[in-house]
Amino acid sequence: MHDDRSLVEARLKRVLEERVRPAVYPESVPLEVAVWHAPGEPVPVEEGIAAEPEPITVGARWGGPWGTSWFRVTGTVPEAWAGRTVEALLDLGFDENMPGFQCEGLVYRPDGTPVKGLNPRNQWVRIGAPVEGGEEVRLHVEAASNPVILDYHPFLPTRLGDKDTAGSEPQYTLTRMDLAVFDETVWQLVIDLEVLGELMAELPVDSARRWEILRAVERALDAVDLQDVNGTADEARSRLRGVLSEQAAPSAHRVSAVGHAHIDSAWLWPLRETVRKVARTASNMTALLDDEPEFVFAMSQAQQWAWVKEHRPEVWARVKKAVADGRFVPTGGMWVESDTNMPGSEAMARQFVHGKRFFLDEFGIENEEAWLPDTFGFAAGLPQIIKAAGSKWLLTQKISWSQTNKFPHHTFRWEGIDGTRIFTHFPPVDTYNCSMKGSEIAHAARNFKDKGVARHSLAPTGWGDGGGGTTREMVAKASCLRDLEGSATVAWETPREFFEKAEAEYPEPPVWVGELYLELHRATLTSQAKTKQGNRRSEHLLREAELWAATAAVRTGFPYPYEELDRIWKTVLLHQFHDILPGSSIAWVHREARATYERLAAELNTIITAAQHALAGEGSTPVLFNSAPHIRHGIPAGGAGTPTTEGETIRTVRPDGGHILDNGLLRVEIDARGLVVSAHDIEADRETIAPGRAANLLQLHPDFPNMWDAWDVDEFYRNSVTDLTDADEVVAGEDAGSVRIVRTFGASRVTQVLSLPPGERRLLLETEVDWHETEKFLKLAFPLDVHAERYASETQFGHFHRPTHTNTSWEAAKFEACNHRFVHLEEPGWGVALVNDSTYGHDVTRTVRTDGDRGTTTTVRVSLLRAPRFPDPETDQGAHRFRHALVPGAGIGDAVREGWRINLPERRVDGAGEVAPLVTVDQEAVVVTAVKLADDGSGDVVVRFHEAHGGRARATLTAGFAVADVTVTDLLERPLPRTPAPRVDGERVAVRLRPFELMTLRLRRA
């Protein structure tokens, strides 16, 4: 037989595109359209519907950036269409290639009832099936003219990302507003031909199945009368039934399709627009559930559910019914799909606390899966948190984006720093926006790394990022692929159903230990410094507010601010979303975030001040409150009192005009350039700074990644560096133990104060940067005389070790990594810590000196600022403040303590005298991360703590109040089953902890 394959395939493409698809709507009549443009921000539905619109015609421009326009469409169904299916086709000016990234709409009936959403892949509204003819049609469309930020030429700087700079130029052209006859037979023929054509393209050319499909398609095309597609579509479909009914091989890969719409809680749109995106998507999905009995849709992010409940009660009613039917499924159990690298220990825990509690309270549903398809890597402390929240599974897809190394598993157990293992799945379809294309399903089957021992994978199916969700076309394709020879099988299932099957068939999967590092988007650890500082500050203010409010409530009857803390926590958690905290959202988002953090700080400081005054009582004695989990200046952790005085620091002048600071513990030399050339640990007689090198060195790199500007820093940035060694001023500071340094470079200015506090083995560096560079990366370097093959960086509830070398491509790829409050390096018996109050990104490199002592120089560099121009062209422009401390002679315990210290400065209040801690722990390795009252309002005291040094610990927790009983709980403060009760002796509770083990105790007050 002659090989005419290419001929038939080309024929299929043209006939499908030019004849069959257009015949889905064979007849149409125009609708009358009028529009009212809402001034300013979106208005309530009733106001938009009641507004008096003005006529507009198809072809007219509409919608300034971020505007809202209310379209009223009216018309009459022709009498001749009686008995047929009729739909309204409402094209606001869509580009079908950009679902979720441009204008969208939500359709309402005249009474305000939502019908469904409109987006580039979902432009239809069912009028009747069948119609009687003569029906009056009246619909209202709330249309959002969101501008296109990520265009065909991506990453170009744009002012459209903030309504204050976006202008008023109309963004869209009204394209089609019609009533049309919907021919379902032709539509089904389109689905049949698409499914078979896509499957055929994935099969081997020498496969008999491919040729069977080719011949069946050819016969179907022969049956299509190109001048009467509608009259011949049924015959064409009949010629395809044979190949569509052939069953899949018993060994076929099995895909669990989960209806999905990954909606970024903010990204290339502001938070307020996400509220509407969720409403549109939820309206679409509940409508689709009504039409498609096999379809199942899952939605994550409790915050987005809460928005629907608060802002769209009519949509919420439909959602609640679909949840009750088991088909609209809450998933993930987190408040938002957060970043997991940068949130602190308690914040990461509270993501699950607030997320799971919302679904429990609203629906009685316990989520057992964490659902994070688009998060930029996963910290090594996360498995324990997932388990402590009562969950046991994790899904993500993003690791498939890694640039250098291919992750070796799709289904595995992920082991965290404490030994906790979580059953984890990476969908081999390699997208969280699966559309049921044959290429996607074939890729999932081919790509699946665990063939031979497992054959289940999951496919999140639906348009996402900006929402939209699953379409009827995707559902129809999935139906064809349910059991089709040559393809993986497809079945709609909930996340729980998938995980139960996958775990049952693969009870002993391989294990991956440590962080799940994404070899991409590394710059998100630095971009938008003020957003990151706002997050860190809020986390620590919340700790203080809970600690002092709980202490004051127990001691003085102070009214514990349950509602305020709940609301503030949820706001902070929202801003940990994986495009807000990472700094990859538009300018509008970060402008609002800065204002929000300032407002929250004021509220939290008010709570803290009120609680501390209640505790301190009346008096004029200066009382120092210590919020840190370690004793400080003689004040116990969680207590208050009069601080002890400790020595003095002497400043002298170096011969070169620099300065020497000496407090008897450290002797620090700062040369005339303002660089630290010596930091001598006097007791250990050990130099910290590598010979011939200088610390406190600001380094400036060009920073223009190949793509994803706010997200990425590419390794070649290191090829060029400018050491900022010229100083305008190096002068004595305001006190005896400090030096002030001023530098200017480019259009920017840096002012630093280096100080050596009396009685402390730490050099404090306070850095102010007035930053006006673009596409530059600013680092602060500390070359250390330490030989270390690995270093520790703090993560949630512990720390994680990374190598300092680059033996393998996996190690080399980690050229920018995350830490929380500290990084720590050590040789046996002596180490160095570098702690910070607000930075996350860093790098660690090592070299061997070729002259002199031939020792090892290990350089730690903290990442201060970047200046990408997309999606916010003014990223980080302006003034910034950073605080770091270099701690020579530090063990890991010192690193932990100093990390807390720099983030929780003392507070002084005039009062009557000392305040005893509400709880104390007698073991420094056991760090208390939260002291609070139980969320249920019972008055029970909840204490959360963990082993922080990486070893086993025995400790006694002592309550400063009468205790009736003690319960070990999960993060949601529920008793842990099969967990032995701790040994209690009065107010003393004895605990034993494994390395990095997290524990929550609930103490019922007598």
Side-chain angles (χ1 to χ4, degrees):
M1 180 180 292
H2 297 296
D3 184 354
D4 60 350
R5 176 175 50 84
S6 298
L7 191 68
V8 176
E9 290 172 357
R11 179 188 180 194
L12 169 62
K13 184 176 184 296
R14 185 176 186 193
V15 170
L16 189 56
E17 198 64 38
E18 296 183 22
R19 292 291 189 271
V20 182
R21 283 199 187 100
V24 170
Y25 293 103
E27 298 177 56
S28 65
V29 296
L31 288 159
E32 292 186 8
V33 189
V35 66
W36 174 73
H37 303 293
E41 286 295 279
V43 300
V45 173
E46 56 271 18
E47 183 178 342
I49 290 177
E52 189 58 41
E54 297 181 352
I56 187 174
T57 59
V58 167
R61 300 282 289 170
W62 70 276
W66 307 113
T68 301
S69 299
W70 283 85
F71 291 95
R72 185 186 67 194
V73 294
T74 56
T76 304
V77 176
E79 298 284 353
W81 291 357
R84 304 172 78 178
T85 297
V86 174
E87 294 181 345
L89 299 181
L90 309 177
D91 186 343
L92 301 175
F94 296 127
D95 179 343
E96 289 191 357
N97 295 316
M98 288 192 176
F101 291 94
Q102 52 176 256
C103 61
E104 299 171 30
L106 183 53
V107 180
Y108 297 89
R109 296 188 179 92
D111 64 359
T113 303
V115 180
K116 68 186 292 288
L118 298 176
N119 62 59
R121 296 298 181 102
N122 216 321
Q123 303 177 21
W124 58 275
V125 179
R126 181 63 56 88
I127 301 301
V131 296
E132 295 180 357
E135 292 95 334
E136 294 297 321
V137 175
R138 185 185 182 95
L139 298 171
H140 298 265
V141 181
E142 180 190 20
S145 52
N146 302 331
V148 175
I149 306 294
L150 190 68
D151 214 332
Y152 286 100
H153 187 163
F155 317 121
L156 289 179
T158 173
R159 297 287 175 179
L160 291 172
D162 194 329
K163 65 177 180 178
D164 291 345
T165 61
S168 58
E169 183 71 21
Q171 299 292 293
Y172 296 99
T173 300
L174 199 63
T175 301
R176 186 176 187 182
M177 292 276 165
D178 288 347
L179 284 177
V181 171
F182 174 70
D183 189 328
E184 186 165 1
T185 301
V186 176
W187 181 82
Q188 289 286 359
L189 177 61
V190 171
I191 298 298
D192 292 347
L193 290 172
E194 285 186 351
V195 167
L196 290 171
E198 291 165 3
L199 173 59
M200 182 168 58
E202 298 301 319
L203 295 171
V205 174
D206 59 359
S207 158
R209 175 64 170 165
R210 178 163 182 159
W211 288 90
E212 288 172 0
I213 294 172
L214 185 82
R215 292 301 164 219
V217 167
E218 184 178 41
R219 290 192 296 273
L221 295 176
D222 290 342
V224 174
D225 183 340
L226 299 183
Q227 278 65 53
D228 185 17
V229 173
N230 301 87
T232 55
D234 191 57
E235 172 59 25
R237 288 199 71 206
S238 71
R239 297 186 182 189
L240 296 174
R241 289 191 185 109
V243 289
L244 284 169
S245 63
E246 294 292 336
Q247 295 180 332
S251 60
H253 185 70
R254 297 174 182 177
V255 173
S256 296
V258 178
H260 184 242
H262 170 67
I263 303 178
D264 287 310
S265 290
W267 180 28
L268 305 180
W269 45 86
L271 288 167
R272 67 91 154 142
E273 192 55 34
T274 313
V275 174
R276 302 200 296 177
K277 283 177 174 286
V278 175
R280 297 175 199 127
T281 299
S283 297
N284 260 353
M285 295 304 95
T286 51
L288 191 60
L289 289 169
D290 289 341
D291 296 338
E292 303 290 349
E294 295 182 358
F295 175 56
V296 175
F297 181 76
M299 190 166 90
S300 66
Q301 307 192 73
Q303 170 68 88
Q304 296 187 0
W305 292 71
W307 280 333
V308 177
K309 181 181 180 183
E310 178 183 357
H311 297 284
R312 289 290 194 269
E314 302 88 351
V315 179
W316 179 249
R318 288 164 55 175
V319 167
K320 284 188 71 174
K321 179 183 181 302
V323 172
D325 293 340
R327 300 180 59 214
F328 198 117
V329 182
T331 193
M334 295 175 68
W335 190 247
V336 295
E337 289 181 13
S338 73
D339 180 82
T340 75
N341 285 312
M342 290 175 282
S345 302
E346 271 304 305
M348 201 73 255
R350 304 299 175 95
Q351 285 286 351
F352 288 90
V353 168
H354 287 284
K356 295 194 73 170
R357 189 172 285 146
F358 181 89
F359 294 139
L360 283 164
D361 290 347
E362 295 293 337
F363 309 115
I365 289 175
E366 173 92 14
N367 292 110
E368 292 189 294
E369 73 288 335
W371 183 274
L372 292 163
D374 190 30
T375 296
F376 309 154
F378 300 88
L382 188 58
Q384 179 175 207
I385 298 171
I386 293 172
K387 184 176 181 181
S391 298
K392 59 184 181 180
W393 302 311
L394 168 66
L395 177 133
T396 185
Q397 179 272 326
K398 199 70 171 188
I399 300 298
S400 70
W401 286 39
S402 284
Q403 289 177 313
T404 306
N405 297 286
K406 193 76 171 174
F407 198 81
H409 317 296
H410 281 107
T411 302
F412 60 100
R413 291 200 188 277
W414 177 30
E415 181 178 319
I417 55 174
D418 72 312
T420 297
R421 292 180 175 181
I422 295 295
F423 189 86
T424 302
H425 181 67
F426 292 172
V429 70
D430 281 350
T431 178
Y432 47 79
N433 294 326
C434 177
S435 62
M436 283 292 136
K437 285 184 180 177
S439 57
E440 294 170 335
I441 301 306
H443 176 73
R446 284 194 301 263
N447 188 41
F448 187 53
K449 295 281 192 301
D450 304 283
K451 297 186 206 54
V453 286
R455 60 183 186 191
H456 278 83
S457 73
L458 186 146
T461 302
W463 300 115
D465 291 316
T470 319
T471 65
R472 62 183 178 185
E473 288 79 13
M474 296 176 195
V475 176
K477 284 189 172 185
S479 179
C480 289
L481 297 170
R482 184 187 298 114
D483 189 12
L484 181 63
E485 184 186 351
S487 171
T489 65
V490 176
W492 294 106
E493 292 183 316
T494 66
R496 174 183 292 275
E497 289 169 335
F498 162 75
F499 274 111
E500 286 176 342
K501 289 180 179 179
E503 195 168 23
E505 78 170 356
Y506 203 11
E508 296 296 333
V511 175
W512 182 270
V513 178
E515 68 183 333
L516 295 169
Y517 180 92
L518 177 64
E519 296 170 356
L520 193 74
H521 293 359
R522 302 167 181 89
T524 58
L525 303 173
T526 305
S527 297
Q528 297 286 1
K530 287 186 178 178
T531 299
K532 291 169 171 58
Q533 289 176 326
N535 173 72
R536 179 78 70 86
R537 183 184 184 198
S538 298
E539 290 178 350
H540 288 90
L541 286 171
L542 277 161
R543 171 196 171 83
E544 291 187 82
E546 289 182 338
L547 169 65
W548 300 122
T551 304
V554 173
R555 294 278 166 72
T556 72
F558 179 83
Y560 191 80
Y562 290 102
E563 292 183 3
E564 293 94 330
L565 290 173
D566 180 78
R567 172 179 51 79
I568 293 170
W569 261 119
K570 287 173 179 174
T571 303
V572 172
L573 298 177
L574 165 60
H575 286 78
Q576 291 177 339
F577 179 75
H578 65 251
D579 278 306
I580 304 178
L581 179 54
S584 47
S585 290
I586 55 173
W588 188 349
V589 173
H590 292 288
R591 172 171 56 80
E592 288 190 333
R594 292 191 292 271
T596 298
Y597 284 130
E598 287 302 312
R599 186 183 73 249
L600 297 183
E603 290 187 63
L604 289 167
N605 278 312
T606 298
I607 294 170
I608 293 163
T609 300
Q612 289 180 340
H613 277 292
L615 287 164
E618 296 297 326
S620 57
T621 302
V623 179
L624 183 145
F625 280 79
N626 177 19
S627 303
H630 306 93
I631 190 170
R632 182 160 57 183
H633 298 310
I635 309 300
T642 304
T644 58
T645 56
E646 301 170 337
E648 65 174 339
T649 300
I650 298 171
R651 180 180 59 225
T652 57
V653 177
R654 276 171 48 103
D656 68 351
H659 298 267
I660 300 172
L661 305 177
D662 191 328
N663 67 0
L665 298 174
L666 288 181
R667 185 175 186 271
V668 176
E669 297 194 32
I670 302 163
D671 71 8
R673 303 170 298 171
L675 302 180
V676 177
V677 293
S678 175
H680 192 78
D681 180 347
I682 295 172
E683 181 181 359
D685 190 20
R686 175 72 186 257
E687 177 56 55
T688 307
I689 309 303
R693 301 290 299 278
N696 188 42
L697 175 63
L698 289 163
Q699 296 183 302
L700 193 66
H701 295 271
D703 184 18
F704 189 64
N706 288 342
M707 56 194 305
W708 298 108
D709 294 39
W711 294 257
D712 281 359
V713 55
D714 289 330
E715 192 172 13
F716 54 73
Y717 88 93
R718 290 179 170 177
N719 296 347
S720 302
V721 61
T722 301
D723 291 344
L724 304 177
T725 57
D726 293 337
D728 301 341
E729 296 179 21
V730 179
V731 298
E734 294 182 359
D735 59 65
S738 67
V739 175
R740 182 173 179 269
I741 303 149
V742 178
R743 305 182 196 279
T744 53
F745 58 93
S748 302
R749 177 185 177 93
V750 175
T751 302
Q752 288 186 299
V753 176
L754 275 55
S755 57
L756 185 59
E760 299 177 9
R761 195 194 289 115
R762 63 173 185 150
L763 175 65
L764 185 63
L765 303 94
E766 299 181 272
T767 305
E768 294 186 17
V769 186
D770 188 15
W771 180 245
H772 296 286
E773 307 307 304
T774 58
E775 295 167 351
K776 295 289 192 295
F777 196 3
L778 185 64
K779 291 263 189 176
L780 183 60
F782 297 83
L784 306 174
D785 189 11
V786 177
H787 177 83
E789 293 186 359
R790 66 176 192 171
Y791 73 97
S793 60
E794 189 186 33
T795 188
Q796 293 99 2
F797 297 112
H799 56 266
F800 176 67
H801 287 101
R802 297 187 184 93
T804 60
H805 56 74
T806 55
N807 283 356
T808 71
S809 59
W810 295 87
E811 293 149 356
K814 295 184 180 183
F815 59 82
E816 185 79 5
C818 182
N819 68 284
H820 287 186
R821 285 170 290 234
F822 70 80
V823 293
H824 177 256
L825 302 91
E826 67 177 341
E827 298 172 2
W830 195 86
V832 183
L834 184 63
V835 301
N836 72 83
D837 76 338
S838 59
T839 55
Y840 297 92
H842 70 276
D843 66 83
V844 178
T845 55
R846 66 200 299 263
T847 58
V848 175
R849 302 187 285 273
T850 57
D851 55 359
D853 66 354
R854 293 180 297 170
T856 301
T857 298
T858 304
T859 301
V860 179
R861 300 196 309 163
V862 296
S863 303
L864 296 182
L865 290 165
R866 300 183 66 238
R869 301 180 63 212
F870 181 88
D872 176 3
E874 299 294 326
T875 301
D876 281 331
Q877 300 299 297
H880 303 271
R881 294 174 60 98
F882 306 96
R883 297 174 78 237
H884 295 83
L886 181 69
V887 190
I892 194 68
D894 301 302
V896 172
R897 183 183 64 252
E898 294 298 337
W900 279 101
R901 177 180 200 154
I902 201 170
N903 282 275
L904 287 167
E906 303 93 336
R907 291 177 183 260
R908 284 177 167 80
V909 174
D910 288 342
E914 294 184 356
V915 177
L918 192 60
V919 294
T920 60
V921 179
D922 66 353
Q923 163 63 269
E924 189 180 63
V926 176
V927 171
V928 175
T929 60
V931 177
K932 60 190 288 292
L933 295 192
D935 291 341
D936 61 8
S938 63
D940 294 353
V941 175
V942 173
V943 185
R944 186 149 37 247
F945 50 90
H946 70 288
E947 196 288 318
H949 293 184
R952 294 182 180 269
R954 294 185 182 185
T956 299
L957 182 145
T958 303
F961 55 91
V963 176
D965 63 58
V966 180
T967 307
V968 181
T969 75
D970 66 6
L971 295 179
L972 277 70
E973 301 167 9
R974 305 173 297 190
L976 276 178
R978 300 180 299 280
T979 301
R983 186 163 54 84
V984 181
D985 180 9
E987 280 67 59
R988 294 161 58 87
V989 184
V991 296
R992 294 187 178 190
L993 298 176
R994 302 183 310 275
F996 300 129
E997 183 180 1
L998 160 67
M999 183 176 287
T1000 304
L1001 295 182
R1002 181 170 181 146
L1003 286 66
R1004 186 164 63 87
R1005 293 152 59 191

